[in-house]
Amino acid sequence: MSGRLGILISGRGSNFLAIADSIAAGRLDAEIAVVISNRSEAAGIEAARARGLNSVTLPSLGMDREVYDLQLIEELQRNKVDLVCLAGFMRLLSGHFLRAYAGRVLNIHPSLLPAFPGLDAQHQAIEYGAKISGCTVHFADDGIDSGPIILQAAVPVRDDDTADSLSARILKEEHRIYGEAIALVLSGEYRVEGRRVLWRTL
């Protein structure tokens, strides 16, 4: 797979910026073809513009999911995107979108899946009394944070942690492993068997 990335964001875009930094530093052999935000006020889209990256705002408020996803697909295809990276994109993707980019949509989640899917994962981990949390990069499917796992990183939960302090430490690991996961997928040196992502180099 070649390395033209389409990055979808809804907020500050810290994972997008980490990906962009990895590319700029030569750690990731890829190109950001387009950054798309579903919120015009997202700080991440301003950051993308400041870096001179191709940036598009497609507001989603009040739109039917299928109708919106058709717009997304059209924009991604216009920019010849190979791999879609969800980076804090706060919308569920339709089956139509996932079929159009089957096996080519990555997501990052702030827990060690399958533990604590969905929103407020860090708060969930603390409330549950988990001793270890972390983050997961996975292929997106039609469930909630349920696709096959590509990479994970563990982060200890401290006795004095709040959701904010745990989130900050997990975020550092998110920034590290997302670029690594993208590189692994772009290499094509893997296969998916059921829920397992198996690397040919292992």
Side-chain angles (χ1 to χ4, degrees):
M1 188 186 301
S2 58
R4 289 180 62 80
L5 308 181
I7 302 183
L8 307 188
I9 65 173
S10 294
R12 60 185 174 174
S14 72
N15 271 304
F16 142 62
L17 291 170
I19 293 167
D21 287 345
S22 290
I23 292 170
R27 295 189 299 270
L28 176 59
D29 183 14
E31 173 188 359
I32 296 176
V34 64
V35 181
I36 302 175
S37 174
N38 67 317
R39 295 177 178 170
S40 57
E41 72 278 12
I45 206 73
E46 292 303 321
R49 289 172 182 149
R51 291 184 178 223
L53 295 170
N54 181 25
S55 311
V56 176
T57 300
L58 291 177
S60 62
L61 186 63
M63 289 193 67
D64 174 81
R65 189 188 302 175
E66 291 275 357
V67 172
Y68 183 77
D69 283 4
L70 286 172
Q71 291 185 12
L72 269 183
I73 291 167
E74 182 179 341
E75 191 63 43
L76 292 167
Q77 290 178 341
R78 181 181 298 121
N79 287 282
K80 298 180 173 59
V81 164
D82 302 304
L83 187 66
V84 179
C85 301
L86 308 181
F89 188 64
M90 302 304 290
R91 275 183 70 88
L92 293 176
L93 295 169
S94 66
H96 184 77
F97 185 97
L98 293 167
R99 286 189 296 274
Y101 282 90
R104 295 188 291 152
V105 183
L106 305 189
N107 187 40
I108 190 158
H109 182 74
S111 79
L112 291 177
L113 293 172
F116 313 123
L119 297 175
D120 300 320
Q122 304 92 330
H123 179 74
Q124 290 185 61
I126 290 171
E127 288 295 299
Y128 198 81
K131 300 302 183 186
I132 301 290
S133 188
C135 51
T136 303
V137 182
H138 63 95
F139 288 108
D141 63 10
D142 57 3
I144 303 295
D145 301 318
S146 59
I149 291 168
I150 301 165
L151 278 181
Q152 293 182 300
V155 174
V157 181
R158 299 172 181 165
D159 291 343
D160 61 350
D161 261 331
T162 64
D164 286 342
S165 64
L166 180 58
S167 296
R169 294 203 316 284
I170 290 174
L171 193 61
K172 290 180 181 179
E173 292 301 302
E174 290 182 45
H175 292 169
R176 179 179 66 83
I177 71 167
Y178 210 168
E180 292 178 7
I182 292 167
L184 286 168
V185 171
L186 290 177
S187 76
E189 295 296 316
Y190 70 94
R191 68 185 188 277
V192 180
E193 291 185 0
R195 290 206 44 81
R196 301 178 69 202
V197 179
L198 303 175
W199 304 105
R200 295 187 186 126
T201 54
L202 297 180

